[in-house]
Structures are given as structure tokens and as C-alpha cells.
């Protein structure tokens, strides 16, 4: 069972701080770029670098599930989690 944000948190499922909000925006941009991956003008590496930079700047106390998704490069799952839609994530094979 995956850990979830505490249910009594009024912002549960949403980006909790400026870094998480910026990360959510970066993940949305990345996912949009993936849809255009056949276009040679799309540079996915710049998106990866941006997301990795933001991952490194997350504050202490960042939820372990979000850190797991980012460390595993599960960017779609991280996006769903930050968007408050973690229930749409399929359980992975990590145990």
C-alpha cells in the first residue's frame, strides 16, 4: 500500500510549496513535450534537467512517495500525485 498525504490536510493532493508548484508546472511541460517527441525541435533533455534540478531543491520533509516517483523517473506518477490524483496511479512493482 502506498503512503498518502494525511487526509486532514486541507491541501491534500496539491502542491504544498513553491518548489512543488514549480515542479508540477515543469512536469506538465514535460508531459506535453513527450506527446510531441517525434518533432526534432522538441528537446526532452532540457525538461529532464529542469525536473532533476527541482527534485534536488525539494525541502526536507517532502513526502516520500513524491521523492520515490521522482527518483524512479516516474514523472507521470509524480504529476498525478502532485495534482491530487494519486488514486489514478497503478501500483508498481517496487516493494
Amino acid at each position: 500500500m502506498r503512503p498518502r498525504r494525511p487526509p486532514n490536510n486541507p491541501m491534500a493532493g496539491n502542491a504544498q510549496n513553491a518548489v512543488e508548484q514549480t515542479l508540477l508546472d515543469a512536469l506538465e511541460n514535460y508531459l506535453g513535450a513527450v506527446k510531441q517527441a517525434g518533432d526534432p525541435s522538441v528537446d526532452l533533455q532540457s525538461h529532464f534537467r529542469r525536473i532533476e534540478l527541482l527534485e534536488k531543491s525539494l525541502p526536507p520533509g517532502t513526502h516520500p512517495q513524491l521523492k520515490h516517483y521522482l527518483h524512479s523517473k516516474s514523472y507521470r506518477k509524480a504529476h498525478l500525485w502532485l495534482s491530487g490524483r494519486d488514486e489514478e496511479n497503478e501500483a508498481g512493482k517496487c516493494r
Side-chain angles (χ1 to χ4, degrees), residues 16 28 30 32 40-41 47 53 74 87 94:
Q16 298 289 304
E28 287 175 0
Y30 161 75
S41 68
H47 291 280
L53 180 67
S74 298
E87 67 280 352
C94 299

Side-chain angles (χ1 to χ4, degrees), residues 21-73:
Q21 183 58 55
T22 303
L23 179 58
L24 177 60
D25 294 341
L27 290 166
E28 287 175 0
N29 290 334
Y30 161 75
L31 293 172
V34 166
K35 292 178 183 176
Q36 302 172 4
D39 181 345
S41 68
V42 175
D43 177 18
L44 293 179
Q45 290 300 317
S46 64
H47 291 280
F48 290 134
R49 286 190 297 273
R50 176 80 173 133
I51 292 167
E52 288 170 356
L53 180 67
L54 289 165
E55 178 184 1
K56 290 177 184 174
S57 66
L58 285 168
T62 297
H63 196 284
Q65 188 65 49
L66 176 58
K67 292 194 304 189
H68 169 75
Y69 289 149
L70 294 169
H71 179 75
S72 302
K73 309 289 188 235

